[in-house]
């Protein structure tokens, strides 16, 4: 049972079938439902503000016997154990902890031969345990009765379900599927864009600027999740425009700037959004790829590190990275590492 409240007024209750089989599954379900409600614009469903509450009905049934039919009730459904309801859980962690605790408590009681009594319990966050609130012997104690002024409403009778589906925004699972299929980005990156709608919209705007190129989208995603999100933790930081970020990604992909240079430029862009090309030129971060100019640097590094180069030429390939590092230092970080590797290899 999940309650949604705004200023203490119940808005909606949703009851699931008894198909959830673990604390983690219950937590994942509640998190996904929160996302869907936010995508639909129904509610922020903020648990800390009381806009969403979870009430978990927990029961244990005996392990299946050798005869599957003996585990089924008169309607052909599994015979469930006596349920205990934990009320007003206000965080996903509390949902999972309360369910795990209650499963353990009920299992231990059953092993001792004790009967589980239908009841409602609360969750003590400090003691990390549930506590009895009241006992209810049967569903009649809940005093359910139909309200004559609230007739049953069948959605299929008031709306064409196909038309309704077409008016819905892209929901979380559809967005996950699109990102996987179209761009092949990592699942952890996808969750960042799904759970943070603003970040997701920013990523969508960015990949439009990148003309939906799969490789550029993957590169952009790496910079967003590995660098941009961390940089935005600063109070004076703001996202660069999608247009400027796209330009930065294109420059990095074309080796106009190094990976290190792209990170340095991004750190500047979050404080004062501007053209990455202009920033790269002003800060001397444009990467050299001209083999003639870089060749002179390679020759200089070889002369200064002759013994190391001789060992590299003799077959110790691990020393190539040392030589490239010396050349990068000599060029103040502007030489293209790929061109450096090619030129050192040619002199081997």
């Amino acid at each position: 049972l999940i309650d949604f409240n705004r200023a203490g007024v119940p808005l909606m209750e949703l009851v699931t079938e008894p198909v959830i089989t673990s604390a983690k599954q219950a937590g994942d379900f509640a998190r996904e439902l929160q996302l869907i409600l936010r995508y639909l614009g129904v509610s922020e469903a903020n648990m800390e503000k009381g806009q969403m509450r979870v009430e978990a009905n927990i029961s244990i049934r005996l392990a299946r016997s050798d005869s599957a039919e003996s585990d089924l009730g008169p309607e052909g459904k599994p015979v469930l154990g006596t349920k205990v309801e934990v009320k007003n859980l206000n965080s996903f962690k509390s949902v999972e902890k309360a369910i795990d605790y209650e499963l353990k408590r009920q299992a231990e009681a059953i092993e001792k031969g004790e009967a589980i009594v239908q009841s409602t319990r609360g969750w003590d966050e400090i003691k990390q345990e549930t506590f009895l609130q009241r006992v209810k012997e049967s569903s009649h104690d809940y005093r359910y009765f139909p309200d004559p002024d609230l007739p049953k409403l069948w959605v299929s009778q008031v709306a064409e379900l196909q038309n309704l589906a077409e008016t819905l925004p892209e929901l979380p699972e559809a967005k996950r599927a699109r990102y996987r299929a179209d761009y092949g980005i990592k699942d952890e990156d996808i969750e960042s864009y799904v759970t943070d709608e603003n970040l997701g919209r920013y990523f969508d705007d960015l990949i439009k600027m990148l003309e939906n190129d799969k490789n550029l989208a993957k590169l952009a995603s790496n910079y967003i999740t590995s660098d941009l999100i961390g940089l935005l933790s600063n109070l004076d930081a703001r996202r660069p425009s999608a247009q400027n970020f796209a330009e930065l990604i294109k420059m990095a992909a074309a080796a106009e700037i190094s990976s290190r240079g792209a990170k340095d430029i991004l750190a500047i862009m979050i404080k004062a959004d501007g053209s990455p090309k202009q920033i790269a030129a002003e800060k001397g971060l444009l990467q050299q790829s001209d083999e003639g100019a870089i060749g002179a640097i390679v020759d200089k590094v070889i002369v200064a590190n002759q013994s190391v180069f001789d060992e590299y030429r003799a077959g110790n390939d691990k020393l190539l990275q040392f030589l490239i590092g010396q050349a990068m230092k000599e060029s103040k970080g502007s030489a293209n590492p790929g061109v450096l590797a090619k030129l050192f290899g040619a002199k081997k």
Side-chain angles (χ1 to χ4, degrees):
L1 178 65
I2 299 179
D3 294 334
F4 301 89
N5 299 277
R6 182 178 291 130
V9 179
L11 294 181
M12 180 175 74
E13 291 187 353
L14 183 151
V15 182
T16 72
E17 293 288 345
V19 294
I20 296 174
T21 58
S22 71
K24 182 181 184 303
Q25 189 180 20
D28 289 345
F29 171 82
R31 290 183 184 93
E32 189 72 2
L33 180 60
Q34 183 190 63
L35 276 178
I36 291 172
L37 292 168
R38 289 177 173 177
Y39 273 60
L40 292 175
V42 173
S43 170
E44 283 300 307
N46 190 313
M47 297 190 75
E48 289 75 16
K49 294 181 180 179
Q51 296 167 340
M52 176 176 174
R53 286 286 186 269
V54 175
E55 298 183 346
N57 289 303
I58 306 148
S59 66
I60 291 179
R61 62 184 174 131
L62 298 179
R64 293 179 64 86
S65 63
D66 294 334
S67 173
E69 292 183 0
S70 65
D71 296 317
L72 302 178
E75 296 181 2
K77 295 182 179 180
V79 177
L80 303 176
T82 301
K83 69 178 181 180
V84 171
E85 182 180 14
V86 182
K87 304 281 287 184
N88 290 321
L89 296 166
N90 62 1
S91 76
F92 299 123
K93 287 185 178 179
S94 293
V95 170
E96 293 175 357
K97 289 178 180 178
I99 292 173
D100 275 334
Y101 177 87
E102 194 60 26
L103 288 173
K104 181 180 178 182
R105 184 189 73 82
Q106 291 185 32
E108 290 176 350
I110 292 171
E111 288 173 357
K112 294 176 183 177
E114 299 173 1
I116 302 298
V117 178
Q118 184 170 317
S119 60
T120 60
R121 299 177 73 87
W123 172 247
D124 190 317
E125 191 65 42
I126 296 174
K127 294 181 179 179
Q128 294 286 290
E129 61 183 36
T130 64
F131 59 90
L132 180 65
Q133 290 181 325
R134 56 178 173 161
V135 173
K136 292 180 179 178
E137 295 297 338
S138 70
S139 60
H140 298 296
D141 292 327
Y142 286 86
R143 301 180 187 275
Y144 292 136
F145 61 91
D147 188 325
D149 295 324
L150 293 174
K152 291 181 179 179
L153 175 65
W154 302 99
V155 175
S156 61
Q157 294 177 5
V158 297
E160 290 289 338
L161 296 185
Q162 182 61 37
N163 293 340
L164 182 62
E166 291 173 354
T167 64
L168 292 175
E170 183 181 47
L171 295 179
E173 190 52 37
K175 180 176 284 189
R176 292 185 185 100
R178 175 167 63 86
Y179 285 152
R180 289 191 193 102
D182 293 352
Y183 309 112
I185 56 180
K186 297 178 291 187
D187 283 349
E188 53 265 38
D189 291 2
I190 290 174
E191 285 308 304
S192 296
Y193 306 135
V194 170
T195 56
D196 186 337
E197 284 189 82
N198 289 329
L199 188 64
R201 281 191 288 268
Y202 181 75
F203 180 66
D204 283 337
D205 290 342
L206 179 60
I207 56 181
K208 287 178 184 177
M209 296 288 179
L210 297 172
E211 300 176 347
N212 294 309
D213 184 284
K214 184 173 183 176
N215 291 328
L216 292 180
K218 290 172 72 173
L219 182 61
S221 185
N222 287 338
Y223 276 102
I224 289 174
T225 56
S226 300
D227 299 287
L228 181 62
I229 290 177
L231 290 169
L232 291 175
S233 61
N234 296 325
L235 294 177
D236 59 343
R238 62 179 182 179
R239 290 194 199 108
S241 68
Q243 181 177 356
N244 284 334
F245 203 126
E247 184 179 326
L248 179 71
I249 297 303
K250 290 177 181 178
M251 290 174 69
E256 294 177 28
I257 52 176
S258 65
S259 176
R260 179 67 265 168
K263 295 174 187 288
D264 292 341
I265 293 169
L266 183 57
I268 295 171
M269 290 170 65
I270 64 159
K271 295 181 179 179
D273 192 14
S275 167
K277 285 189 176 180
Q278 183 178 345
I279 295 171
E282 291 174 353
K283 300 296 182 181
L285 294 172
L286 289 171
Q287 192 162 255
Q288 294 185 48
S289 295
D290 179 76
E291 292 188 10
I294 295 178
I297 295 173
V298 168
D299 291 339
K300 188 174 182 179
V301 169
I302 290 174
V303 170
N305 301 273
Q306 190 63 56
S307 61
V308 175
F309 182 74
D310 289 342
E311 192 175 343
Y312 163 65
R313 187 161 52 184
N316 190 347
D317 291 336
K318 293 181 180 179
L319 292 174
L320 176 59
Q321 290 305 314
F322 170 80
L323 294 168
I324 290 175
Q326 294 302 302
M328 291 296 290
K329 187 182 297 184
E330 181 67 28
S331 69
K332 297 181 179 179
S334 65
N336 186 324
V339 176
L340 286 171
K342 175 184 174 182
L343 295 180
F344 277 120
K347 292 179 179 291
K348 190 173 180 180

Coordinates of all heavy atoms in Angstrom, one line a residue, residues 35 39 60 69 82 109 116 208 233 235 291 334:
L35 N 9.7 7.7 -9.8 CA 10.2 8.3 -11.1 C 9.0 8.5 -12.1 O 8.9 9.5 -12.7 CB 11.2 7.4 -11.7 CG 12.7 7.5 -11.3 CD1 13.5 6.5 -12.0 CD2 13.2 8.9 -11.5
Y39 N 7.8 11.9 -13.8 CA 7.7 12.1 -15.3 C 6.3 12.5 -15.7 O 6.2 13.3 -16.7 CB 8.2 10.8 -16.0 CG 9.6 10.6 -16.2 CD1 10.5 10.6 -15.1 CD2 10.2 10.4 -17.4 CE1 11.9 10.5 -15.2 CE2 11.6 10.3 -17.6 CZ 12.4 10.3 -16.5 OH 13.8 10.2 -16.7
I60 N 5.1 -14.5 5.4 CA 5.9 -15.7 5.0 C 5.0 -16.9 4.8 O 4.1 -17.1 5.6 CB 7.0 -16.0 6.1 CG1 8.0 -14.8 6.2 CG2 7.7 -17.3 5.9 CD1 9.0 -15.0 7.3
E69 N 0.3 -28.8 -6.2 CA -1.1 -28.5 -6.1 C -1.5 -28.3 -4.6 O -2.4 -27.5 -4.3 CB -2.0 -29.7 -6.6 CG -1.9 -29.8 -8.1 CD -2.7 -30.9 -8.7 OE1 -3.4 -31.6 -7.8 OE2 -2.8 -31.2 -9.9
T82 N 0.1 -15.3 7.1 CA -0.6 -14.1 7.8 C 0.3 -12.9 7.6 O 1.5 -12.9 7.9 CB -0.7 -14.4 9.3 OG1 -1.5 -15.6 9.4 CG2 -1.5 -13.3 10.0
A109 N 9.9 -16.5 14.6 CA 8.7 -16.8 15.3 C 8.1 -18.2 14.9 O 7.7 -19.0 15.7 CB 7.7 -15.7 15.2
I116 N 1.8 -16.1 13.8 CA 1.9 -14.8 13.4 C 0.5 -14.1 13.4 O -0.5 -14.7 12.8 CB 2.5 -14.7 11.9 CG1 3.8 -15.3 11.9 CG2 2.5 -13.2 11.5 CD1 4.9 -14.7 12.8
K208 N 21.6 16.0 -29.7 CA 21.1 16.7 -30.9 C 22.1 17.5 -31.5 O 22.2 17.5 -32.8 CB 19.8 17.5 -30.5 CG 18.6 16.7 -30.2 CD 17.4 17.6 -29.8 CE 16.2 16.7 -29.3 NZ 15.1 17.6 -28.9
S233 N 29.4 20.5 -8.4 CA 29.2 20.5 -7.0 C 29.6 21.9 -6.4 O 29.2 22.2 -5.3 CB 29.9 19.4 -6.3 OG 31.3 19.5 -6.5
L235 N 29.6 25.8 -5.8 CA 28.4 26.7 -5.7 C 28.3 27.7 -6.9 O 27.3 28.1 -7.3 CB 28.4 27.5 -4.4 CG 28.2 26.6 -3.1 CD1 28.4 27.5 -1.9 CD2 26.9 25.9 -3.1
E291 N 53.5 16.8 -38.0 CA 54.6 15.9 -37.7 C 55.9 16.6 -37.8 O 56.9 16.2 -37.2 CB 54.5 14.7 -38.7 CG 53.3 13.8 -38.4 CD 53.3 12.5 -39.3 OE1 54.4 12.3 -39.9 OE2 52.3 11.8 -39.3
S334 N 51.0 20.3 -25.5 CA 50.3 20.5 -26.7 C 50.5 19.5 -27.8 O 49.8 19.5 -28.8 CB 50.7 21.9 -27.3 OG 52.1 21.9 -27.6

